[in-house]
Amino acid sequence: MSALPHPQIGALLAAIDGVPVTTEPSTVRKRSRDFFWYSPILDAQLRGKSADILVSPRDEGEVVRVAAACARLGVPITPRGAATGNYGQAVPLHGGVLLDMAGLKDIAWVRDGSVRCGPGLVMSELDAALAPHGLEQRMHPSTKRRATVGGFVAGGSGGIGSITYGGLREPGNILAARVITVEPEPRAIELRGDAAQKVNRAYGTTGIITALEFPLAPAWPWVDLIVAFDSFAEAMAFGHRAALADGITKKLLSPIAWPLPSHFAEVRPHCPEGKAVLIATVAKHSVDSFLALLGDAGAVTLERPLTDAPGQTPLYEYTWNHTTLQMLKADRGVTYLQCLFPHDAVLEKVAEMCALFPDELLGHCEFIRFGGRITASALPVIRYTTPERLSTIMAAHEAAGVMIADPHVYTLEDGSRHKRAEADQLGFKREVDPRGLLNPGKMRSYVPAAAAT
Amino acid sequence: MSALPHPQIGALLAAIDGVPVTTEPSTVRKRSRDFFWYSPILDAQLRGKSADILVSPRDEGEVVRVAAACARLGVPITPRGAATGNYGQAVPLHGGVLLDMAGLKDIAWVRDGSVRCGPGLVMSELDAALAPHGLEQRMHPSTKRRATVGGFVAGGSGGIGSITYGGLREPGNILAARVITVEPEPRAIELRGDAAQKVNRAYGTTGIITALEFPLAPAWPWVDLIVAFDSFAEAMAFGHRAALADGITKKLLSPIAWPLPSHFAEVRPHCPEGKAVLIATVAKHSVDSFLALLGDAGAVTLERPLTDAPGQTPLYEYTWNHTTLQMLKADRGVTYLQCLFPHDAVLEKVAEMCALFPDELLGHCEFIRFGGRITASALPVIRYTTPERLSTIMAAHEAAGVMIADPHVYTLEDGSRHKRAEADQLGFKREVDPRGLLNPGKMRSYVPAAAAT
Ligand SMILES: Cc1cc2nc3c(=O)[nH]c(=O)nc-3n(C[C@H](O)[C@H](O)[C@H](O)COP(=O)(O)OP(=O)(O)OC[C@H]3O[C@@H](n4cnc5c(N)ncnc54)[C@H](O)[C@@H]3O)c2cc1C
Ligand SMILES: Cc1cc2nc3c(=O)[nH]c(=O)nc-3n(C[C@H](O)[C@H](O)[C@H](O)COP(=O)(O)OP(=O)(O)OC[C@H]3O[C@@H](n4cnc5c(N)ncnc54)[C@H](O)[C@@H]3O)c2cc1C
């Protein structure tokens, strides 16, 4: 929580009269947190940070009123989706307004295999609405049942589906974004095509997203499978073969080393003691082909239809950063890394990293397409000792040609693989947020054009 | 035409009484030809070959009757779809029955994004029937408006759609095939999964296909585009970039060197003099992303909705082996090769081959996925002089690491990249066609178990 409420909060509340607001401190504090606590380093830095008030606009008009008032009064605004980010993306560093975007969840249209909708829509609700069209989102994070469309675009990178479509950043995965600027007279800017990348993974620093457009995928009937292997290397090898099989329709291939599956709650009985598993989600029409490819290389221990509906945990909630979560529930002494392996040496490099840190690193990958090539990203679980040791492990990865996006930092720059802000995003921020009021502190290379009074 | 009618034709006609038959010699001769004349070498070898009679079963029961009678009487059977093959696949080398499969065109079901249908269905008719389900075939040859589903599986390799799904041979692209054996008491064998590969590109030598099952793709609204480039190398480079862009939904990317586009009939006005073109088919929802990726690297000269319906030529009829056909219409002095480039040196190797034969080789590629990697297959047009020179050109490709499937031979073995019959197919043939009556001469390594009397 910021030491003192922002001096202009009173004036702001008056200026946005009629827009739903929560001022109750414990609620505001609770809503100001996300999943930064995965990282012991971020946990120490961000614990206690809070907005002064939570504002919940019901439509774009109300967003404009809040943006105008904040711009005039110099009050920071941090947009919030479902606050499931892992780097404190939605944590206000300097108090002010936490802007709850959940109210903006209209679907404007579905046509030609694409959709336009509000940013506050929960991703599983969007898929439920798309189902009658035979369509679904191309990709989603493993937090699909909580996360919002806008939070994914502004704070996420890829997920289930990226084995087919690559990450959000691949050209073509976002068609348009509409943003509201933070100025005394806010403007609405429609970013189409490439330009929409200006809001992608910008942590809400480059405008308040009020609508998004993206292309969709066919909503096949999907089947969730667990396959057990004697070793992580075997799970990786088969996962790689399946990833390369373009005739097999799939959206998830996650090899996970033992003992991680020992923490898999409901599906623990399907994870044999001591075995690595591959979690796979395959279109029903491709299951036989998947099993034929598998042959006797591994043993299928679970096969059931995928559903996002309540009552059963979809297997994707054991993959991506949920793998880490399942372990953290039992052992707060672990944390994780974010790795991208070179496509021409995936299996070798994964094995090399596992061998380098046999006691500290628990292998966990997701096969994805990246730049048109099949490779693996990884969120290995790390037994945490000190920040220095964590740095050593990350440096060893980079030295071996494995790219790291550090998940233990909260600025855009430090979290990117290239350690800098996208030039496009930095330039665009000048246009939409001259005073630097949007999620201040997250794009640290940004120097406000007109310093706030 | 075989010198003399098969001695048992009279007995056969009696045995299959009631099944529609054509004995009129000029019709039988005409229907016994395919597109082997693309190759001056095959043209010399196959010209004049003909069946004795054309038999047109209306259902599987009639196929069984024909198979039984032929087995008993030792009469060869060559199945025929639309006879659009390029290697004389459907040309009977030893007379006998030309088995017209066009009558078997029922759609048994469409479910879970897959279909089961008869082999005689014309591919564009199948897509028309799938359209109300929002589905279409994953891939089709450029002869889609004539070719049959069964002929594609038994005689083709891939085509429009292979940029996403790879070729027919990738695991998962064929789910099942039902075949009738050629025995006195024919059996129906259902080949599921991997086993269905026993009929894939086997030229009908491994059983008479009476049903096929395969997974489908979403039927997006598609847009056909022509993009002009100053050079073939530039068309290749952009095509490669687009091929690697997994966020852009596409089914065709064909770079074609000048002067090939000068023969492009109806779309000639959209092919600027002296320029290479890229023919692309992109989902409507991805067109903006495609154009953004293009930037000013090339100039779009045509953009229109794709339709298979009569009245307008879909652009795919200028790609794959239609590119060759467009040129052949004007100049019978050319022929072509079939190449597969190494995925890690596509652009370099294509440039190398063009440079090696500047006057004889006209560049033409299709980007495809092969074994999970983006690469290019190529059907370059060759100015033909002698068989020896053609061999030299092919040998130069192979020496440079470019795989060649020789299109100037009519046996399965010689036409394969590995110069041998698939072990699975050879073994299976023993089971289904002990006397070697199915399309005899096409699988030359097959020695009948029981020699025909
Ligand atoms: C268990 C677990 C698993 C995860 N798995 C994945 C995964 O598979 N892939 C992945 O990419 N991520 C993953 N994440 C991270 C996160 O869940 C996703 O990125 C998710 O999409 C974030 O959505 P959200 O609605 O919670 O966004 P929030 O956390 O609320 O916000 C994310 C960022 O977007 C900004 N933002 C939100 N709405 C707007 C708006 N309308 N305009 C402008 N800015 C806005 C916020 O300010 C913040 O900076 C995981 C996290 C956890 C805890
Ligand atoms: C201009 C042109 C362009 C082409 N482009 C492509 C392309 O893009 N990709 C490609 O792969 N091919 C291409 N081809 C080759 C050919 O058109 C296709 O492979 C097509 O799918 C063949 O189908 P069809 O019905 O004409 O088969 P046919 O030529 O009639 O038969 C092909 C083979 O299948 C066998 N057969 C047919 N039906 C059955 C059955 N029911 N049971 C058992 N065996 C059977 C026949 O005996 C024959 O050996 C092209 C040819 C031309 C002339």
Side-chain angles (χ1 to χ4, degrees):
Chain A
M1 189 171 117
S2 45
L4 285 172
H6 194 283
Q8 300 289 6
I9 288 296
L12 182 75
L13 285 172
I16 62 172
D17 185 45
V19 182
V21 169
T22 307
T23 53
E24 201 281 302
S26 79
T27 305
V28 176
R29 259 199 314 271
K30 229 173 67 191
R31 308 295 293 282
S32 293
R33 293 173 57 82
D34 64 10
F35 283 73
F36 62 79
W37 56 266
Y38 266 45
S39 162
I41 296 169
L42 290 180
D43 196 39
Q45 292 171 337
L46 300 180
R47 199 186 306 143
K49 300 280 179 202
S50 177
D52 297 303
I53 59 172
L54 176 72
V55 181
S56 303
R58 288 162 298 192
D59 55 33
E60 191 186 77
E62 293 191 343
V63 171
V64 169
R65 284 185 59 205
V66 177
C70 286
R72 285 187 200 128
L73 297 166
V75 178
I77 310 181
T78 303
R80 180 191 198 274
T84 65
N86 289 108
Y87 332 117
Q89 293 106 306
V91 175
L93 299 179
H94 300 285
V97 168
L98 184 64
L99 193 67
D100 171 13
M101 300 301 295
L104 277 79
K105 55 179 195 177
D106 283 0
I107 297 179
W109 46 252
V110 180
R111 67 177 179 231
D112 299 333
S114 56
V115 66
R116 183 178 175 100
C117 68
L121 200 55
V122 170
M123 298 185 81
S124 57
E125 287 173 15
L126 175 53
D127 270 3
L130 292 169
H133 301 267
L135 296 170
E136 64 179 33
Q137 290 159 95
R138 285 182 167 186
M139 69 190 74
H140 64 79
S142 62
T143 45
K144 179 185 186 186
R145 299 202 291 179
R146 285 177 64 178
T148 63
V149 170
F152 184 48
V153 167
S157 54
I160 293 85
S162 291
I163 180 63
T164 300
Y165 298 100
L168 266 176
R169 204 168 281 193
E170 296 287 339
N173 282 333
I174 306 175
L175 297 177
R178 180 179 170 90
V179 295
I180 300 300
T181 65
V182 179
E183 299 175 290
E185 307 283 339
R187 290 165 299 146
I189 301 180
E190 189 86 16
L191 299 165
R192 296 209 68 85
D194 270 3
Q197 290 296 329
K198 291 172 181 171
V199 298
N200 183 8
R201 216 181 150 93
Y203 298 179
T205 60
T206 56
I208 304 166
I209 303 167
T210 55
L212 284 164
E213 240 172 86
F214 40 89
L216 299 166
W220 304 123
W222 294 103
V223 176
D224 265 351
L225 298 117
I226 299 181
V227 189
F229 294 85
D230 286 339
S231 68
F232 183 55
E234 285 161 272
M236 283 295 302
F238 172 69
H240 195 226
R241 281 209 293 142
L244 290 168
D246 287 317
I248 295 177
T249 307
K250 58 221 170 266
K251 56 178 178 179
L252 179 62
L253 289 170
S254 297
I256 302 171
W258 186 263
L260 291 170
S262 71
H263 302 289
F264 284 2
E266 179 232 0
V267 297
R268 175 64 185 87
H270 308 284
C271 300
E273 194 70 19
K275 303 274 182 194
V277 298
L278 177 81
I279 293 182
T281 304
V282 175
K284 190 173 172 191
H285 61 232
S286 285
V287 169
D288 286 349
S289 311
F290 176 83
L291 297 177
L293 193 71
L294 176 65
D296 53 12
V300 175
T301 59
L302 179 67
E303 181 181 335
R304 67 184 184 195
L306 164 66
T307 161
D308 295 334
Q312 182 177 285
T313 309
L315 291 190
Y316 61 72
E317 288 188 8
Y318 298 96
T319 69
W320 290 83
N321 231 345
H322 267 86
T323 312
T324 324
L325 182 63
Q326 304 301 346
M327 174 102 194
L328 276 167
K329 283 182 191 164
D331 180 354
R332 288 294 285 262
V334 301
T335 186
Y336 73 115
L337 301 183
Q338 295 182 146
C339 314
L340 179 68
F341 286 86
H343 68 87
D344 49 2
V346 184
L347 301 183
E348 300 84 323
K349 290 291 170 184
V350 170
E352 195 180 321
M353 294 304 104
C354 291
L356 218 48
F357 304 104
D359 302 320
E360 290 167 282
L361 185 153
L362 304 178
H364 161 214
C365 289
E366 266 79 33
F367 285 100
I368 58 166
R369 287 231 179 86
F370 183 84
R373 273 106 184 177
I374 294 288
T375 187
S377 66
L379 302 169
V381 171
I382 302 291
R383 298 195 199 274
Y384 183 69
T385 47
T386 65
E388 293 69 33
R389 181 64 188 162
L390 199 56
S391 295
T392 304
I393 298 176
M394 288 197 276
H397 279 74
E398 287 180 328
V402 180
M403 286 204 276
I404 290 276
D406 187 351
H408 304 286
V409 293
Y410 60 75
T411 66
L412 280 169
E413 290 86 348
D414 297 325
S416 90
R417 270 190 303 272
H418 308 290
K419 310 285 183 234
R420 59 169 188 271
E422 306 272 322
D424 259 22
Q425 295 188 343
L426 193 59
F428 186 57
K429 184 169 174 69
R430 251 176 253 296
E431 274 180 57
V432 298
D433 182 25
R435 291 184 70 175
L437 296 171
L438 275 170
N439 208 352
K442 299 298 172 60
M443 189 191 274
R444 69 165 156 66
S445 40
Y446 181 68
V447 183
T453 41
Chain B
M1 190 168 116
S2 45
L4 285 173
H6 194 282
Q8 300 288 7
I9 287 298
L12 182 74
L13 284 171
I16 62 171
D17 185 43
V19 183
V21 169
T22 307
T23 54
E24 200 282 302
S26 79
T27 304
V28 177
R29 259 200 315 272
K30 230 173 65 190
R31 307 295 293 283
S32 295
R33 295 173 54 83
D34 65 11
F35 283 73
F36 63 78
W37 55 266
Y38 266 45
S39 161
I41 296 168
L42 289 179
D43 196 39
Q45 292 171 336
L46 301 180
R47 200 187 306 143
K49 300 280 178 204
S50 178
D52 296 303
I53 58 170
L54 175 73
V55 182
S56 304
R58 288 160 298 191
D59 55 33
E60 193 186 74
E62 293 190 343
V63 172
V64 170
R65 285 186 58 205
V66 177
C70 286
R72 286 186 201 129
L73 297 164
V75 178
I77 310 181
T78 303
R80 180 192 198 273
T84 66
N86 289 110
Y87 333 116
Q89 293 106 305
V91 175
L93 299 180
H94 301 285
V97 169
L98 185 63
L99 193 67
D100 171 14
M101 300 301 295
L104 278 77
K105 55 179 196 179
D106 283 0
I107 297 179
W109 47 252
V110 179
R111 65 176 180 231
D112 299 333
S114 58
V115 67
R116 183 178 174 100
C117 67
L121 199 55
V122 170
M123 297 186 81
S124 56
E125 286 172 16
L126 175 53
D127 270 2
L130 292 169
H133 300 267
L135 295 169
E136 64 180 31
Q137 289 159 98
R138 284 184 168 185
M139 71 190 74
H140 63 80
S142 61
T143 45
K144 178 184 187 185
R145 300 203 291 180
R146 285 179 65 179
T148 63
V149 169
F152 183 49
V153 167
S157 53
I160 293 85
S162 291
I163 181 60
T164 299
Y165 298 99
L168 265 176
R169 204 167 283 193
E170 296 287 341
N173 281 332
I174 306 175
L175 297 177
R178 182 179 170 90
V179 295
I180 300 299
T181 65
V182 179
E183 299 174 289
E185 308 283 339
R187 290 165 298 145
I189 301 180
E190 189 85 17
L191 300 165
R192 298 210 67 86
D194 269 2
Q197 291 295 329
K198 291 172 181 171
V199 297
N200 183 9
R201 213 180 152 97
Y203 298 179
T205 59
T206 56
I208 304 166
I209 303 168
T210 56
L212 283 164
E213 242 174 84
F214 40 89
L216 299 165
W220 304 122
W222 295 102
V223 176
D224 265 350
L225 298 116
I226 299 180
V227 189
F229 294 85
D230 286 340
S231 67
F232 183 55
E234 286 162 273
M236 283 296 300
F238 173 68
H240 194 226
R241 280 209 296 144
L244 289 169
D246 288 315
I248 295 176
T249 308
K250 57 220 169 266
K251 57 179 177 178
L252 181 61
L253 290 170
S254 297
I256 302 170
W258 185 262
L260 290 170
S262 70
H263 302 288
F264 284 3
E266 180 232 0
V267 298
R268 174 64 184 88
H270 308 284
C271 300
E273 194 72 18
K275 304 274 182 194
V277 298
L278 176 82
I279 293 182
T281 304
V282 175
K284 191 174 172 190
H285 62 232
S286 285
V287 169
D288 286 350
S289 311
F290 177 83
L291 297 177
L293 193 71
L294 176 65
D296 53 10
V300 175
T301 58
L302 180 67
E303 181 182 335
R304 68 184 184 196
L306 164 65
T307 163
D308 295 334
Q312 182 178 286
T313 309
L315 292 190
Y316 62 71
E317 288 187 8
Y318 298 97
T319 69
W320 288 84
N321 232 345
H322 268 86
T323 312
T324 325
L325 182 63
Q326 303 301 345
M327 174 105 194
L328 276 166
K329 283 182 190 164
D331 180 354
R332 289 294 285 262
V334 300
T335 188
Y336 73 114
L337 301 184
Q338 295 181 145
C339 313
L340 179 68
F341 286 87
H343 68 86
D344 50 1
V346 184
L347 302 184
E348 300 83 323
K349 290 291 170 185
V350 170
E352 195 180 320
M353 293 305 104
C354 290
L356 216 50
F357 304 103
D359 302 322
E360 289 167 282
L361 185 153
L362 305 177
H364 161 214
C365 289
E366 267 80 31
F367 286 100
I368 58 166
R369 286 231 178 85
F370 183 84
R373 275 106 185 174
I374 293 288
T375 187
S377 66
L379 302 168
V381 171
I382 303 290
R383 298 194 198 275
Y384 182 70
T385 48
T386 65
E388 293 70 32
R389 181 64 188 161
L390 199 55
S391 295
T392 305
I393 297 176
M394 289 197 276
H397 279 74
E398 287 179 327
V402 179
M403 286 204 277
I404 290 276
D406 187 350
H408 304 285
V409 293
Y410 60 76
T411 67
L412 279 168
E413 290 85 349
D414 297 324
S416 90
R417 271 189 302 271
H418 309 288
K419 311 286 182 234
R420 60 168 187 272
E422 307 271 323
D424 259 22
Q425 296 188 342
L426 193 58
F428 186 57
K429 185 169 174 70
R430 251 175 254 296
E431 275 181 56
V432 298
D433 182 26
R435 290 184 71 175
L437 295 170
L438 275 170
N439 207 353
K442 298 298 171 60
M443 189 191 275
R444 67 164 157 70
S445 38
Y446 182 69
V447 183
T453 41

